[in-house]
Amino acid sequence: MTPQICFSTLENYAALSMIECGLGMSVMNELVTKGRQNNVVMLPLDPPQSITLGIAVPSIKAASPAVRKFIAYATRILKE
């Protein structure tokens, strides 16, 4: 069976708005949908899936204070 795709977007929030209007469905990760107030049904995948995010810096010691603060923030937020 091949889906009949009439509309598509690479922008997640536009996709959620399209879904709210009854224009289809999408598979998204929780980082996109977490905390968003919308009028869509979110169902978990079975079996559950996960993604791995990474960050690379030449030297954490040589990184600017803003970069170090961002890494600490991202690490804390993504562990929740």
Side-chain angles (χ1 to χ4, degrees), residues 10-75:
L10 296 175
E11 216 293 308
N12 292 315
Y13 298 113
L16 285 169
S17 293
M18 291 166 68
I19 294 164
E20 283 182 308
C21 291
L23 297 175
M25 56 82 60
S26 180
V27 177
M28 298 180 182
N29 63 55
E30 188 178 6
L31 289 174
V32 173
T33 59
K34 186 176 182 180
R36 179 156 168 17
Q37 299 296 318
N38 53 45
N39 200 18
V40 299
V41 175
M42 291 186 231
L43 303 171
L45 293 177
D46 186 20
Q49 301 294 305
S50 64
I51 60 171
T52 302
L53 294 177
I55 189 165
V57 293
S59 166
I60 194 73
K61 289 182 182 179
S64 71
V67 169
R68 288 196 303 270
K69 190 162 193 136
F70 171 76
I71 291 171
Y73 171 79
T75 302

